[in-house]
Amino acid sequence: MKSKTLVCAGLAAALTMSVAFSSGCATRNEEDMKQIVATVDITKSDNLQEEGLSDYAAAISSQKDITKMELMASFYNVGYSYVQSGSTYAEVFEMLVDALTGTAVLTQYATLSLIRDKSAGNSSYLQEYLAKSTEVERYEFLLDGETALNDDGTEGYDRVLAARYSLYSGINSSLDSLEQSIIDEEEDSSSSSDTRTIPGGADEEREDYLPLDENNKNKLDYNIFTGYEGYLIGDSGAYEDDQLEGSTRATRRKAYASFITNLRDNFLIGEEEDVRDVLSISYIQEEYLSQLQQQVINEYYERYQSAQEELIEKVDGDGVYTFLQSRYESDLADQTNSYSQFSAFESAMSSVSDTSFLLYAPATEGTDGGSYGFVYNILLPFNAAQNVNIDTSDTSAQYYFARKALLEDITATDQRSVWFNGATDYSFDASADNIGIDYYGKDAGRDYLFFEDNLLHGDRYSKLEKYDGRYSYNGTVVENDDGSYSLSPAKLTIDDMLAEFEAYVEYVMGGDTVEIARQDSYNVDDYTQYYTDETKDLPDSQKKIDYSRFVYAKGKVDLGYDFTQQTQLSSFLANMFVSEGENSAAYKAMSAVNELQFAYTTDTSVLSQYIGYSVSAFTTSYVPEFEYAAQQAVNEGPGTVYVCAADYGWHIIYVTATYPVGSADGEGGAVYGDLEWTAEYVLKEGTFQNLYYNWIKDSTLSSVTTNRRAVINELFGGNATVTRHEDAYRDLLELDSQSA
């Protein structure tokens, strides 16, 4: 399966606008859609002189007209979801007009700003810009030689080529959607619509990816495939690898015909316009201009952000990053105040990630020093026949003893059949000669992996998040003539599953790092053994269940840390997000166990959690067997494995992280202790300071960018520069009364 980039906004609208809107919006025609709903011209602003842009006003050769067509496109892409959420049509359309005029203001400002910067070293630059005959040529000239910066400050992708690639890939994505429907209809496809959560980053293209010609890095190795001369699959460059299975020149032509029909039906192009050359179509040219303008905005933001980075990276005479230190101390103080109550801390636990940190852990008084933490949960369930005998309301020792016999008959199977025969086929045969990848299960003839693009084409596709990707499908796979698969998954007992767990985690970590031992205490031969020693001789109504009896096995993954030392735990909590290098043992273990979750667990809600379920040191909402085992495991630290029995089946619990700073005597504390904020720590991967620095830099720059847009619109978006023609879209504002 090959992924596609997201369809750009205008093209998505072209595909969707044929859907009926409402009875009050049924009368649409070409002239109506051409009406001007607003105009923008920032050269009329008194602030132009103060910003040093007045000398370049001629670059805004004409005011920006926003058409009703653009407003409707924006509604279908963004606005309709707001209506579905309860907003009125009037509120939504006014909001959309604000957004469209705001973008126009920003585009004009960024254009003048970039021309000003380039004119500083070339007094004739503005005249050269104005000498270009079309807006497209002017913006290509303006962006000539501009490249986005990589994270390390080196030059990244060419902005003009990025604009073209965004346009071309957007058109191909639109055509792919239409063509897939044609292929499915012709093949009378009956593929399942079932889905299963996929790991983060799966089939996502990197933001900085550009397919360039190997012999000419200034040329795009990518083109549109329409099925017509000049746009054949052999001319499409890198797109050829993305061609849909079952695609032919004929099906692509049909898709292109539907695409053109959608454009015409929605008055985006005229009936008489020649559409044989897709790039010459007026609407596509307008879309290309929009992509170029977006790159100008991106270039302005990047230049603006570069200036702001100096504040974040400011150091004093002792080499201390003062902005970072001050921000950390402020955040820690806020969390110390907010998380003194566990309920607030528990709520914050649900959002922990590599860009959202817990800096303070509250006290655990009343829990014998229990810890807070996170666990993965691989649930191996009872089957339908066994479930008949499960009574979740029965908490008697006799019931638990009867349930024990049922647990012995549970067999687990690989749950990823949906990734073969579901809505999307993510599988690939890794044994093919051209693959050349090592993977777990290869010697046993298990040859199917998933997410080929991510695993084999890292230059183009994102890395999978906390998912190693080398655990082959556990069973036999036969590909049928119709493209579907016949699957026969292996059946694993709990002992088989633990053997797979140990073997795969050690495979990913590259050593003898896992040890899991079965617990003698699990082996009760009489129901009375389920009672605690303290209560076993009391009347039945006073007897209590000993939940340690449900722990089938315990173990540990050696992560290379001594978790009895607070400094070691703090180092681990930073390193658990480091995917490469000598400090990545924690990340590797987490990635292996997470992949086993995706393969086997039937508790699919855990697949949506960044590092698993949060486990409280206090009473939880989990079933008591799971609560006991999870809390005990968390108290033993990251890397701990517990296997317990419960009414849902077997739970294989893996501790991903713990926060045991809070103590039983009522004292909370800083998770990362006393920190130094010099370059030695801030710039060293694997330290908390480095993780925090990268997060603060990204979030701060994102914030200043958002604020800068607001400032620009405040300075240049007033009545003097923005004119609304409300009569042109009054019918849209009155839709609420028409549909009432």
Side-chain angles (χ1 to χ4, degrees):
M1 182 267 177
K2 302 292 183 181
S3 71
K4 307 295 183 294
T5 55
L6 293 176
V7 182
C8 57
L11 296 170
L15 292 175
T16 59
M17 286 190 64
S18 56
V19 179
F21 182 35
S22 75
S23 59
C25 194
T27 56
R28 290 278 170 258
N29 55 57
E30 187 172 354
E31 291 307 312
D32 180 41
M33 289 297 191
K34 288 181 179 179
Q35 289 192 84
I36 307 302
V37 300
T39 57
V40 177
D41 184 358
I42 71 168
T43 65
K44 296 178 180 179
S45 171
D46 294 336
N47 292 314
L48 206 66
Q49 180 69 37
E50 294 182 21
E51 291 283 310
L53 299 174
S54 56
D55 290 343
Y56 313 99
I60 309 296
S61 57
S62 62
Q63 63 188 17
K64 165 63 178 175
D65 290 332
I66 298 170
T67 65
K68 196 170 189 177
M69 182 68 251
E70 292 177 82
L71 178 58
M72 291 297 294
S74 184
F75 176 82
Y76 280 104
N77 282 297
V78 179
Y80 190 56
S81 62
Y82 286 96
V83 172
Q84 291 179 311
S85 299
S87 298
T88 66
Y89 283 108
E91 290 170 341
V92 170
F93 278 110
E94 290 290 14
M95 175 192 72
L96 294 176
V97 172
D98 285 342
L100 289 169
T101 56
T103 298
V105 167
L106 180 60
T107 299
Q108 292 182 359
Y109 180 88
T111 299
L112 295 183
S113 177
L114 188 53
I115 290 175
R116 177 192 59 192
D117 290 353
K118 292 200 167 190
S119 295
N122 182 358
S123 59
S124 63
Y125 187 84
L126 178 59
Q127 284 67 39
E128 293 176 39
Y129 173 87
L130 294 173
K132 303 301 177 182
S133 58
T134 67
E135 280 197 276
V136 165
E137 290 176 348
R138 287 181 176 183
Y139 275 96
E140 286 182 334
F141 175 74
L142 184 59
L143 289 169
D144 183 41
E146 297 301 333
T147 57
L149 294 179
N150 295 319
D151 290 340
D152 60 3
T154 59
E155 287 190 359
Y157 55 85
D158 180 283
R159 291 203 179 278
V160 173
L161 296 182
R164 290 178 192 166
Y165 178 60
S166 180
L167 176 74
Y168 295 1
S169 60
I171 294 172
N172 276 333
S173 293
S174 297
L175 294 174
D176 286 348
S177 298
L178 293 166
E179 187 182 18
Q180 188 63 62
S181 298
I182 293 168
I183 294 171
D184 290 345
E185 184 177 335
E186 291 183 353
E187 294 180 353
D188 191 24
S189 175
S190 57
S191 61
S192 169
S193 60
D194 293 342
T195 60
R196 180 174 175 84
T197 303
I198 58 177
D203 279 348
E204 290 181 5
E205 194 171 86
R206 290 164 47 123
E207 290 184 5
D208 61 354
Y209 171 71
L210 272 184
L212 301 178
D213 189 295
E214 291 185 1
N215 300 317
N216 184 357
K217 297 302 182 181
N218 295 316
K219 181 181 179 182
L220 204 61
D221 181 30
Y222 190 92
N223 203 358
I224 303 162
F225 173 40
T226 68
Y228 288 90
E229 287 300 322
Y231 300 98
L232 301 177
I233 192 63
D235 306 318
S236 66
Y239 172 76
E240 190 166 2
D241 291 336
D242 297 340
Q243 185 179 13
L244 297 174
E245 186 173 347
S247 170
T248 65
R249 186 176 180 184
T251 56
R252 196 64 169 189
R253 282 186 168 190
K254 289 181 181 179
Y256 185 61
S258 295
F259 178 73
I260 295 301
T261 298
N262 283 338
L263 294 178
R264 283 177 171 153
D265 286 350
N266 292 290
F267 317 109
L268 292 169
I269 59 176
E271 290 291 336
E272 304 304 319
E273 186 165 350
D274 186 351
V275 298
R276 288 173 295 182
D277 181 354
V278 61
L279 291 179
S280 69
I281 297 174
S282 58
Y283 174 73
I284 299 301
Q285 283 287 299
E286 291 171 6
E287 283 297 317
Y288 179 45
L289 176 61
S290 295
Q291 295 295 334
L292 290 169
Q293 290 172 334
Q294 183 59 55
Q295 289 297 328
V296 169
I297 291 173
N298 293 347
E299 176 65 21
Y300 169 74
Y301 278 154
E302 189 170 277
R303 291 176 180 228
Y304 182 75
Q305 288 176 346
S306 294
Q308 307 308 307
E309 284 188 52
E310 296 179 6
L311 171 64
I312 301 170
E313 298 173 348
K314 182 179 180 181
V315 297
D316 64 13
D318 296 322
V320 174
Y321 283 69
T322 53
F323 178 87
L324 287 173
Q325 183 182 51
S326 176
R327 176 66 182 268
Y328 168 76
E329 290 174 351
S330 175
D331 286 347
L332 176 60
D334 289 343
Q335 290 194 16
T336 301
N337 181 58
S338 300
Y339 300 162
S340 58
Q341 297 296 319
F342 177 72
S343 58
F345 178 79
E346 185 177 45
S347 178
M349 287 178 72
S350 64
S351 62
V352 167
S353 72
D354 59 352
T355 58
S356 179
F357 308 105
L358 290 177
L359 308 181
Y360 174 87
T364 54
E365 50 193 317
T367 67
D368 296 325
S371 301
Y372 315 112
F374 295 88
V375 299
Y376 283 149
N377 174 40
I378 302 175
L379 172 61
L380 312 179
F382 292 107
N383 61 35
Q386 294 165 334
N387 264 324
V388 173
N389 299 300
I390 299 299
D391 183 358
T392 57
S393 64
D394 194 340
T395 58
S396 67
Q398 294 91 330
Y399 165 70
Y400 291 136
F401 188 69
R403 188 184 69 182
K404 180 176 179 293
L406 293 174
L407 285 154
E408 294 172 359
D409 294 328
I410 286 179
T411 55
T413 59
D414 196 316
Q415 300 293 300
R416 296 173 294 178
S417 60
V418 174
W419 289 353
F420 288 94
N421 293 322
T424 302
D425 179 7
Y426 295 106
S427 68
F428 71 99
D429 185 350
S431 68
D433 292 338
N434 63 328
I435 299 297
I437 183 176
D438 190 25
Y439 52 91
Y440 180 84
K442 186 175 185 178
D443 294 339
R446 293 162 46 179
D447 295 328
Y448 277 82
L449 297 177
F450 307 92
F451 314 115
E452 178 180 2
D453 288 332
N454 302 87
L455 293 181
L456 304 181
H457 307 294
D459 60 329
R460 178 174 181 180
Y461 292 93
S462 302
K463 186 173 182 178
L464 296 171
E465 295 177 5
K466 307 178 302 300
Y467 186 99
D468 184 83
R470 292 178 291 166
Y471 187 77
S472 57
Y473 178 76
N474 195 356
T476 60
V477 181
V478 176
E479 186 169 0
N480 303 316
D481 291 339
D482 63 358
S484 65
Y485 299 86
S486 295
L487 307 170
S488 179
K491 295 182 179 181
L492 308 181
T493 66
I494 184 60
D495 289 331
D496 294 333
M497 184 65 223
L498 293 180
E500 282 287 289
F501 184 100
E502 291 183 21
Y504 187 59
V505 173
E506 290 186 341
Y507 174 83
V508 172
M509 296 187 72
D512 185 14
T513 55
V514 186
E515 184 175 346
I516 299 176
R518 282 63 176 171
Q519 301 298 294
D520 291 338
S521 59
Y522 179 82
N523 299 315
V524 300
D525 51 25
D526 183 84
Y527 78 87
T528 59
Q529 293 176 277
Y530 280 119
Y531 296 127
T532 63
D533 289 340
E534 296 80 7
T535 64
K536 63 183 180 180
D537 296 325
L538 297 177
D540 286 352
S541 62
Q542 298 178 40
K543 288 183 171 67
K544 294 184 178 180
I545 298 296
D546 180 2
Y547 288 104
S548 68
R549 288 291 197 176
F550 301 115
V551 176
Y552 178 77
K554 297 180 185 179
K556 199 79 172 180
V557 178
D558 184 2
L559 302 176
Y561 291 86
D562 177 4
F563 293 113
T564 63
Q565 303 295 317
Q566 175 59 37
T567 55
Q568 290 273 294
L569 176 60
S570 297
S571 177
F572 166 81
L573 290 172
N575 280 314
M576 67 182 290
F577 297 115
V578 178
S579 60
E580 304 290 346
E582 61 182 11
N583 297 316
S584 64
Y587 187 90
K588 287 180 179 178
M590 186 164 62
S591 297
V593 179
N594 189 35
E595 186 173 4
L596 291 172
Q597 273 192 144
F598 277 95
Y600 291 102
T601 191
T602 57
D603 174 17
T604 55
S605 60
V606 76
L607 301 177
S608 303
Q609 308 296 318
Y610 194 87
I611 52 174
Y613 288 134
S614 59
V615 177
S616 169
F618 301 91
T619 301
T620 73
S621 59
Y622 302 127
V623 295
E625 301 97 317
F626 182 87
E627 178 187 273
Y628 171 84
Q631 288 180 335
Q632 292 298 311
V634 166
N635 287 341
E636 294 181 25
T640 300
V641 180
Y642 264 58
V643 183
C644 76
D647 278 344
Y648 295 112
W650 293 111
H651 295 269
I652 302 176
I653 298 168
Y654 175 78
V655 181
T656 56
T658 60
Y659 292 83
V661 176
S663 60
D665 59 5
E667 292 294 329
V671 169
Y672 296 96
D674 295 329
L675 298 173
E676 294 186 43
W677 293 95
T678 58
E680 178 183 358
Y681 299 96
V682 171
L683 302 181
K684 182 181 179 181
E685 187 179 67
T687 65
F688 169 74
Q689 293 94 317
N690 179 256
L691 199 65
Y692 187 78
Y693 160 69
N694 287 317
W695 170 62
I696 288 296
K697 182 169 68 172
D698 291 344
S699 60
T700 300
L701 293 180
S702 175
S703 177
V704 300
T705 297
T706 301
N707 292 339
R708 185 58 184 163
R709 176 182 175 121
V711 169
I712 290 171
N713 271 278
E714 184 176 348
L715 291 172
F716 295 97
N719 293 332
T721 61
V722 177
T723 304
R724 292 171 180 257
H725 305 287
E726 194 169 294
D727 287 343
Y729 62 99
R730 188 175 302 281
D731 59 326
L732 302 178
L733 300 177
E734 295 174 351
L735 280 173
D736 296 295
S737 59
Q738 295 178 28
S739 59

